[in-house]
Amino acid sequence: MHDPHSERMSGSETRAASGLSLVFAFRMLGMFMVLPVLATYGMDLAGATPALIGLAIGAYGLTQALLQIPFGVISDRIGRRPVIYVGLIIFAAGSLLAANADSIWGVIAGRVLQGAGAISAAVMALLSDLTREQHRTKAMAMIGMSIGLSFAVAMVVGPLLTRAFGLSGLFIATAAMALVGIALVAWWVPRSAGPLAHRESGVAKEALGRTLRHPDLLRLNVGIFVLHAVLMSSFVALPLALVERGGLAKEQHWWVYLTALLVGFFAMIPFIIYAEKKRQMKRVLAGAVAVLLGCEVFFWLTDGTLHELVLGTIVFFTAFNLLEASLPSLISKVSPAGGKGTAMGVYSTSQFLGAALGGILGGWLFQHGGLNTVFLGCAALCGLWLIIAVTMREPPYVTSLRLPLSPAAVRDAGLVERLLAVAGVTDAVVVADEAAIYIKLDSEKLDRPALDALLEARADT
């Protein structure tokens, strides 16, 4: 038995976090690996047009957006594992359908089916079931890192796999990774006692209306929508620009993405530290959006030598990585107490819808106006986002806390008011169904002795 208050993750918690992070990573790797290669290799497929290539790039986002919240709700009722197994089998089936396709429509159908294996919410909920309160943020961060790493690996491995085995080989590798994911869940991830009722790990119907009406959450949802729309649109055009303008053979694109992602990853770290330590997240966010806008304008205005395109790609990925890392942190800060799970569900849906629209829009713009029209369209989206970003308020620099309540404390009508009167406590909500209270607090302004005294009194009731 492990100590429930231990500062270190137990062995079973480490296995849960590492196993589910790998499940996420393998699945996202399969989603992302086609990005750098579909625009160049996909034109060899029967019936391929730029518009249909764009649809194939973004198609997974449509079914992912539609099904990820329903899959999460179903997992509350029938269990996490059955939903995850079914989702990974659907994903593998979509990969095999795309691998055996000889036309662009077969690849589109495969990508739609891939997206239908929408297990994100169920995986996050299972992670919450298997980790204690004090380690949940750390475990969630491991999954976040695995997604970022899978994107970086996909940008490099996608072109290398496709060069060696063609598009069909790429999709077969994706199916194999889904099957490895099933094995990890079956034999590595520990069993849970059952689904936990936990508002921070899933969508709560009661919190949905408030989340959809929250002005700053709406701004952040628009932000992730635009970020992934711009990413998908850019990958309709950027691989072709490297071939047509930079004279770089499609088999050599991997080193451009490897360089851009490595430099971009290390270049963003000082900005993340500055944003958190100096409490300047709004400034850093708006600055990164402005840089993204500048990159799209640069791609639009210049015919670009290879060196210019590589430099532009490096700056693009620095801004992209910074925004991709900052937005979930902002969602966590801005969401109401007890509403982070719901806010993240809406945020993820916005992300997948952006990916779907971005691929479709990028392909359509390229077919009707060429490379420059795609970059101009992306610049327009970034410009819209910049206007929205500069009008947001500086986010509260708060952390979240969830504490169990005794039956008497749940019935204490004045508990929330007394907590809100403590300096540094910004929000609190009692959830009777969970016999718990969710608190948001600013650690720099917090009157810790007053909070501790109040919580000790609560524990004694």
Side-chain angles (χ1 to χ4, degrees):
M1 292 289 289
H2 56 256
D3 176 3
H5 302 293
S6 169
E7 290 303 309
R8 297 182 62 180
M9 291 177 80
S10 68
S12 66
E13 286 174 319
T14 304
R15 280 175 60 192
S18 61
L20 292 174
S21 293
L22 283 171
V23 171
F24 240 110
F26 286 144
R27 188 170 159 281
M28 298 313 287
L29 195 59
M31 291 290 195
F32 289 139
M33 279 198 302
V34 302
L35 282 188
V37 297
L38 209 49
T40 46
Y41 287 85
M43 288 305 290
D44 296 334
L45 292 164
T49 66
L52 293 177
I53 291 288
L55 178 58
I57 286 174
Y60 82 93
L62 287 171
T63 39
Q64 187 86 8
L66 286 170
L67 295 174
Q68 68 125 5
I69 290 177
F71 269 40
V73 173
I74 292 168
S75 79
D76 291 337
R77 294 182 181 167
I78 68 168
R80 317 296 188 202
R81 287 172 190 267
V83 169
I84 293 170
Y85 291 145
V86 169
L88 287 170
I89 288 166
I90 291 171
F91 181 79
S95 302
L96 291 174
L97 178 60
N100 289 296
D102 53 9
S103 75
I104 189 63
W105 287 107
V107 171
I108 291 167
R111 291 285 281 171
V112 168
L113 196 54
Q114 278 186 327
I119 59 166
S120 305
V123 170
M124 294 300 243
L126 180 58
L127 186 66
S128 287
D129 296 343
L130 293 168
T131 51
R132 287 166 291 163
E133 199 69 46
Q134 66 266 38
H135 299 306
R136 199 158 289 133
T137 301
K138 196 187 306 178
M140 297 287 186
M142 286 174 68
I143 285 200
M145 288 168 59
S146 77
I147 295 170
L149 188 62
S150 67
F151 178 76
V153 171
M155 291 297 101
V156 179
V157 172
L160 291 173
L161 266 178
T162 312
R163 181 174 72 173
F165 305 108
L167 271 179
S168 63
L170 179 76
F171 283 116
I172 288 169
T174 298
M177 285 187 285
L179 298 179
V180 172
I182 291 172
L184 280 168
V185 176
W187 291 301
W188 179 254
V189 175
R191 300 276 159 182
S192 65
L196 291 180
H198 196 301
R199 280 211 183 184
E200 301 287 67
S201 63
V203 174
K205 291 175 191 171
E206 315 88 81
L208 197 53
R210 190 162 55 142
T211 300
L212 293 172
R213 291 190 300 270
H214 195 295
D216 285 332
L217 286 176
L218 280 172
R219 285 183 174 89
L220 296 172
N221 290 331
V222 169
I224 194 64
F225 177 92
V226 171
L227 183 64
H228 279 259
V230 166
L231 177 71
M232 296 298 166
S233 288
S234 295
F235 269 100
V236 172
L238 201 52
L240 294 168
L242 288 170
V243 172
E244 294 175 14
R245 295 177 179 178
L248 186 68
K250 60 189 179 183
E251 293 81 12
Q252 298 297 319
H253 288 195
W254 65 271
W255 68 259
V256 176
Y257 303 126
L258 177 62
T259 306
L261 284 158
L262 283 175
V263 175
F265 175 77
F266 289 107
M268 77 167 179
I269 292 172
F271 295 102
I272 288 178
I273 295 169
Y274 169 76
E276 288 284 359
K277 295 284 185 189
K278 301 294 184 183
R279 300 196 164 199
Q280 295 288 344
M281 290 200 78
K282 177 184 171 182
R283 178 182 292 183
V284 169
L285 177 80
V289 177
V291 170
L292 205 64
L293 169 60
C295 288
E296 297 295 346
V297 171
F298 173 77
F299 289 139
W300 170 47
L301 290 177
T302 178
D303 281 338
T305 63
L306 180 59
H307 290 102
E308 288 172 337
L309 286 169
V310 171
L311 179 63
T313 305
I314 289 170
V315 177
F316 176 91
F317 275 114
T318 302
F320 175 84
N321 287 338
L322 179 54
L323 289 163
E324 186 83 345
S326 300
L327 285 167
S329 173
L330 282 163
I331 289 280
S332 182
K333 286 175 167 56
V334 169
S335 58
K340 186 170 77 174
T342 306
M344 286 304 298
V346 175
Y347 171 87
S348 296
T349 300
S350 304
Q351 174 181 326
F352 293 126
L353 283 173
L357 177 84
I360 294 164
L361 183 65
W364 187 85
L365 287 174
F366 178 67
Q367 186 160 322
H368 292 88
L371 290 178
N372 278 344
T373 311
V374 179
F375 295 131
L376 184 57
C378 289
L381 282 173
C382 291
L384 174 67
W385 184 12
L386 185 58
I387 293 166
I388 292 168
V390 296
T391 61
M392 75 178 279
R393 294 170 296 178
E394 191 68 45
Y397 289 84
V398 292
T399 53
S400 299
L401 200 60
R402 178 186 181 271
L403 298 165
L405 290 178
S406 66
V410 171
R411 295 191 297 272
D412 181 356
L415 178 60
V416 168
E417 286 73 13
R418 294 197 299 279
L419 275 168
L420 291 174
V422 175
V425 175
T426 62
D427 197 7
V429 63
V430 171
V431 181
D433 293 348
E434 299 179 31
I437 187 166
Y438 292 86
I439 305 169
K440 302 201 84 165
L441 49 89
D442 184 332
S443 55
E444 285 192 8
K445 299 176 182 175
L446 182 65
D447 183 348
R448 175 65 69 178
L451 179 64
D452 288 345
L454 185 58
L455 295 177
E456 281 171 21
R458 170 199 61 81
D460 295 336
T461 55

